Amino acid sequence: MEYDIRIGLEVHCELNTKSKMFCSCKNSFGDSPNENCCPVCTGLPGALPSLNKEAVKKAIKTGLALNCQINNNTYLDRKNYFYPDLPKAYQISQFYEPICQNGYLEILDNDIIKKIRIKEIHFEEDAGKLIHDRYDDLTLIDYNRCGVPLIEIVTMPDIENINQAKEFLDGIKLLLKYIGVSECKMEQGMLRCDVNVSVMEKGSETLGNRLEMKNINSFSAAIKAIEYEAKRQIEELRKGNKIISQTRKWDSINEKSVLMRDKEESADYRFFKEPDIPFIEIDDKIISEIKREIPILPFERFLTYTKKYNLSKDDAMTLIRDKEKSDFFDKCVLINNNYKIISNKIINDFAKISPEEFCRVIDFVNEGRISNSSVGKIFQEMEKNNISASDALDNLGLNQINDENYIEEIIKTVLEENEKAVEDFKNGKKNAVGFLIGQCMIKSKGKLNPQILNSMIYKIIEKGE
Ligand code: ADP
Ligand code: MG
Ligand code: ZN
């Protein structure tokens, strides 16, 4: 029996707001433990939350970039549970009316464009951090992260294989960075994901029971977890066993999943509307304002770079992963159509100079005034001294000599001084010309335009016959 795999991802992303979601404590990583805490984010009696507008805007921006509908009337819910990292014993979250719904992200799976549908994006607040490894018999708690704004991006179970999962995760990370809502530093826990995996008989319309693995903090672990789970489930089914919906924990050290609990039901959390925060009304004017702030997104760029500018996939992605370089490339191709060499030079020799001056150097190469290998040096000279392309050529003595009269003079002198080599060439020793060209270059300190020199030297030798 063959099986199809279905994967749904829930990506948790910390928003890069200055302050936390419901209080004015600093939202920052790496401060000393429990420094950024107040009665609101530690759930002291009587403390009242107030909503961070910036977080709402950033969630809307993410929704728009992911082609979602924005909910004009939304609100927050309380999700009730106890865990030592959650001093309030409830998390302010969204259950009934998520701020964004029904979007998609396009990815490329072996040259085929695939839309991964986004079910919803909702708010959450982050919890504190438990530190287990400092002492054998103690757990320490740092509440700095309590109340840091999070969005959770939930996909439909549209992802069909490992490659699509990778493309989706990489794609979403790049998009979040492009729109500036998160730094996405995985090592600081700014991006985490839950993976849901099910398998079903090949071609079946009915999804299998799914397994959820929570809070995986690296993409490579997420991919390993998916591979492991899909394989485990297929083996179970082949043995004739059934898959029951469960929540499992990914053990990244032993690289296997272990049972945490049978899957919880949402009713277990006793969701209800958060009574301390007013409803959120989002009018269309604000939505269109935020829409205008969204830059060209990575996937659109990828299509333009590979289709319109004919860049290789690797070159396109190398540029796109670095937004600054990619923005620069876009400016250059508006004024110069040597797409390949521009991308190549930006990838290998990027310098902070204007696109206009950058393109001037590219033109110098095309005109044969400088050699390709000098470009890096010229950029550095321009950047270091803040000077124009042609001044940099002067400074570096790289101005190539194209003057045919001058070149002719040098050739003639060299031919006179090397009669033997000229004789050899005429007698059929064709490589003697290489020696003569070398002599011309030595005389001109390497500045002669090699193409012109090459074509002229044959003519002059032949004329001299
Ligand atoms: P819950 O809130 O109970 O976790 P959701 O319906 O919000 O359930 O789904 C959570 C995630 O699980 C989504 O990413 C969804 O795509 C995924 N998912 C749901 N059913 C399946 C399935 N049968 N196989 C794989 N993933 C699934
Ligand atoms: Mg879930
Ligand atoms: Zn606080």
Side-chain angles (χ1 to χ4, degrees):
M1 181 71 75
E2 290 299 304
Y3 294 92
D4 282 335
I5 303 169
R6 286 292 179 275
I7 303 153
L9 297 171
E10 299 163 87
V11 177
H12 302 253
C13 165
E14 279 186 6
L15 298 175
N16 58 2
T17 52
K18 286 204 184 70
S19 56
K20 293 187 182 181
M21 184 84 174
F22 305 111
C23 60
S24 53
C25 290
K26 244 191 351 184
N27 170 15
S28 82
F29 179 89
D31 293 342
S32 49
N34 299 308
E35 184 183 327
N36 304 323
C37 296
C38 74
V40 175
C41 53
T42 50
L44 297 190
L48 283 174
S50 62
L51 186 64
N52 183 335
K53 218 177 180 173
E54 199 53 32
V56 178
K57 284 190 178 161
K58 286 186 162 153
I60 296 172
K61 197 170 183 186
T62 311
L64 291 172
L66 288 170
N67 310 292
C68 290
Q69 289 153 2
I70 310 299
N71 199 336
N72 295 99
N73 295 290
T74 181
Y75 54 83
L76 297 157
D77 299 297
R78 258 187 209 189
K79 180 178 183 177
N80 299 280
Y81 68 96
F82 170 77
Y83 202 67
D85 63 7
L86 188 71
K88 294 206 297 274
Y90 60 84
Q91 179 194 41
I92 304 180
S93 175
Q94 282 195 302
F95 181 71
Y96 297 104
E97 288 289 346
I99 180 159
C100 314
Q101 273 168 302
N102 301 329
Y104 61 86
L105 175 71
E106 284 173 307
I107 59 163
L108 207 63
D109 182 28
N110 291 319
D111 287 333
I112 295 165
I113 297 178
K114 175 157 173 96
K115 275 185 186 172
I116 306 296
R117 287 172 299 162
I118 305 291
K119 182 182 170 207
E120 64 179 65
I121 302 175
H122 60 252
F123 278 121
E124 286 187 354
E125 58 176 328
D126 215 340
K129 216 185 299 180
L130 302 182
I131 300 153
H132 301 292
D133 52 8
R134 192 79 54 85
Y135 301 101
D136 282 345
D137 52 351
L138 285 181
T139 291
L140 304 176
I141 311 183
D142 176 4
Y143 287 130
N144 278 348
R145 208 175 61 181
C146 274
V148 164
L150 282 179
I151 48 173
E152 179 172 338
I153 302 166
V154 185
T155 76
M156 298 294 277
D158 286 348
I159 300 167
E160 299 159 321
N161 58 46
I162 294 290
N163 186 51
Q164 290 178 11
K166 274 191 201 145
E167 290 291 324
F168 180 85
L169 289 171
D170 287 344
I172 208 111
K173 180 176 169 191
L174 197 54
L175 180 136
L176 293 166
K177 288 210 275 191
Y178 257 61
I179 61 175
V181 301
S182 175
E183 267 48 83
C184 297
K185 293 185 184 152
M186 314 273 310
E187 69 287 359
Q188 296 186 7
M190 290 180 186
L191 216 54
R192 282 116 60 190
C193 72
D194 303 346
V195 305
N196 297 267
V197 183
S198 67
V199 300
M200 59 190 173
E201 283 179 17
K202 201 166 198 72
S204 161
E205 304 270 302
T206 326
L207 292 175
N209 281 337
R210 97 181 110 130
L211 222 127
E212 177 168 10
M213 283 170 286
K214 282 193 175 294
N215 237 328
I216 301 178
N217 57 12
S218 85
F219 286 172
S220 57
I223 296 301
K224 280 194 186 131
I226 295 168
E227 274 171 339
Y228 176 93
E229 248 321 302
K231 200 162 147 243
R232 189 190 67 84
Q233 290 181 33
I234 290 172
E235 276 165 14
E236 289 293 318
L237 291 179
R238 288 211 169 115
K239 278 190 237 158
N241 297 336
K242 286 209 164 67
I243 303 294
I244 6 168
S245 300
Q246 284 175 339
T247 301
R248 296 176 78 93
K249 188 172 141 65
W250 179 245
D251 172 351
S252 59
I253 291 162
N254 298 307
E255 302 199 333
K256 57 183 197 170
S257 69
V258 283
L259 179 65
M260 265 168 91
R261 54 180 182 248
D262 284 350
K263 178 126 185 58
E264 69 290 348
E265 297 296 326
S266 60
D268 298 336
Y269 289 114
R270 300 292 186 268
F271 280 101
F272 60 86
K273 284 182 195 169
E274 166 58 52
D276 287 341
I277 295 176
F279 289 4
I280 307 167
E281 261 181 59
I282 303 167
D283 66 40
D284 290 338
K285 199 168 139 267
I286 290 188
I287 296 177
S288 44
E289 268 167 30
I290 296 173
K291 203 175 213 154
R292 266 180 264 127
E293 291 169 16
I294 295 179
I296 299 185
L297 297 173
F299 193 72
E300 192 185 336
R301 253 188 180 156
F302 181 81
L303 296 182
T304 313
Y305 287 8
T306 50
K307 297 235 159 74
K308 183 168 172 200
Y309 302 133
N310 261 317
L311 302 188
S312 71
K313 280 188 215 163
D314 283 350
D315 283 355
M317 278 320 292
T318 307
L319 283 177
I320 292 166
R321 279 201 201 94
D322 187 329
K323 185 166 184 297
E324 190 191 7
K325 287 187 178 180
S326 213
D327 288 344
F328 190 85
F329 176 81
D330 286 359
K331 287 183 195 145
C332 288
V333 294
L334 289 180
I335 51 182
N336 192 305
N337 61 7
N338 295 291
Y339 310 131
K340 270 239 154 60
I341 160 158
I342 291 174
S343 82
N344 198 289
K345 292 299 155 197
I346 294 177
I347 290 170
N348 297 307
D349 300 302
F350 189 59
K352 295 198 194 298
I353 53 181
S354 75
E356 288 75 18
E357 286 297 315
F358 185 94
C359 289
R360 207 148 288 151
V361 179
I362 302 290
D363 283 337
F364 288 167
V365 179
N366 284 335
E367 292 159 8
R369 287 180 63 183
I370 53 168
S371 68
N372 201 16
S373 57
S374 305
V375 170
K377 257 187 282 170
I378 295 168
F379 285 161
Q380 278 169 24
E381 183 71 14
M382 292 166 74
E383 187 175 11
K384 194 172 83 201
N385 302 318
N386 196 16
I387 53 175
S388 72
S390 58
D391 287 348
L393 289 200
D394 285 342
N395 280 7
L396 294 169
L398 281 172
N399 256 320
Q400 261 190 3
I401 296 169
N402 296 298
D403 179 342
E404 299 200 359
N405 292 330
Y406 182 83
I407 296 177
E408 186 171 343
E409 252 172 58
I410 298 223
I411 294 175
K412 284 192 168 153
T413 321
V414 167
L415 296 188
E416 273 168 32
E417 288 170 8
N418 297 280
E419 279 173 6
K420 169 109 186 15
V422 178
E423 216 41 52
D424 286 349
F425 175 76
K426 286 181 181 165
N427 292 332
K429 241 180 112 184
K430 291 298 169 208
N431 54 9
V433 82
F435 169 77
L436 293 167
I437 288 175
Q439 292 303 307
C440 293
M441 279 302 193
I442 291 172
K443 260 205 172 5
S444 67
K445 301 202 171 64
K447 283 194 204 165
L448 297 189
N449 178 321
Q451 279 100 22
I452 302 180
L453 170 62
N454 207 42
S455 74
M456 283 181 73
I457 197 163
Y458 285 99
K459 283 187 207 145
I460 292 173
I461 294 177
E462 269 150 32
K463 248 201 292 178
E465 251 176 329

